[in-house]
Amino acid sequence: MTLAELKESAISDIKNAKDAKELEAAKVKYLGRKEGQLTNILKSLKNLPEEEKRKVGPEANALRQELEAALDKKLKELAKKSSVPSIDVTRPGVKVRAGHLHPLTLMENDIKTIFAGLNFSIVEGPEVETEHYNFEALNIPANHPVKDMWDTFWIDAQHLLRTHTSPMQIRYMETHKPPFQIIVPGRVFRFEATDASHEINFYQVEGLMIGEKVNLANFKYIISEFFRQLFGVNTEIRFRPSYFPFVEPGLEVDIKIQDPGSPLHNHWLEVMGAGMVHPKVLDGVKLNPKEFQGFAFGLGLERLAMIKYKIPDIRLFYSGDLRFINQF
Ligand code: PHE
């Protein structure tokens, strides 16, 4: 093989090396200390006649330098390539998945918006309550059997997880002078067995309107307007007499929705307790029942969300199951 042929083959091998390993193989092939093709030629120089030696020697040495430089250059090229990842700018981006509000939050927001439009203020209260606010101040005596309706989790002898948002009626009346109208959305707790319509914690929205002449007709208007805005004009409401120690008279509100697509088509469902605030309760917060009166109500948020979104089981709200949550 002539030096020219060797050069051609070596340069092409170096140029075509795809990675450091192939480049190293090319180096060994031509410049390897033992069997490199050019190394062998250099080694055999000493056996050549003087005249040829003088001709081939410098050529072979020049080629060695040339190959070394080529190897060096290629090595740098390869290193650069592997450290810069190639970016395909035409590739579509990775979509960022946005979260969304829980159906109960959506329902709470709807309710707040409607009542804000009816000039109600929105307030919140503590989830850990005293026995006084949760029961006594609401005219529920310590050993009264009606307490069975509100069995709860006790923190210690005086503190419990509130069973309803009604304690906020008391807290608000103690610190504000009528007239006022408020709603109190919040989480409440019950110690009971769970099933499709019962949970150990759920959400209520309390309502309270106190003034000099507030009466049940006002309540009927407010609550009809609320349901009309929430579920549409085909919503009917009815009042049924009921008993809660902190109202007199007490009643329960049922709704029915004339819409074949609704679970409440031709079907009454109880959605809230209500009534005129009991004179004893007003007395307890130092409001004169002869001067002030008003109505209170408490509705279950889950129940309304179940109607609106056609959800069959209350436990789904708290299941943390993304297949459920992602539908809203
Ligand atoms: N707090 C009652 C309950 O949880 C509901 C209610 C509120 C009834 C206000 C009357 C007035 O069952």
Side-chain angles (χ1 to χ4, degrees), residues 150 163-164 166 169 190 204 206 244 246-247 273-275 296-298:
W150 295 285
T163 58
H164 47 186
S166 301
Q169 290 185 33
R190 301 268 168 103
Q204 284 190 336
E206 193 80 8
F244 301 94
F246 36 94
V247 288
F297 62 87

Side-chain angles (χ1 to χ4, degrees), residues 138 140 149-150 163-167 169 188 190 202 204-207 243-247 249-252 270 272-277 295-299:
L138 287 163
I140 308 170
M149 263 166 76
W150 295 285
T163 58
H164 47 186
T165 40
S166 301
Q169 290 185 33
V188 302
R190 301 268 168 103
F202 55 101
Q204 284 190 336
V205 178
E206 193 80 8
Y243 173 68
F244 301 94
F246 36 94
V247 288
L251 56 98
E252 250 150 326
E270 177 204 319
M272 64 169 76
M276 294 299 289
V277 177
F295 62 78
F297 62 87
L299 60 81

Side-chain angles (χ1 to χ4, degrees), residues 60-80:
N61 270 314
L63 180 57
R64 185 178 66 186
Q65 278 170 18
E66 199 178 324
L67 292 188
E68 275 168 355
L71 282 163
D72 213 44
K73 189 168 156 231
K74 181 72 182 184
L75 192 67
K76 281 189 186 130
E77 264 175 47
L78 287 174
K80 208 163 164 195

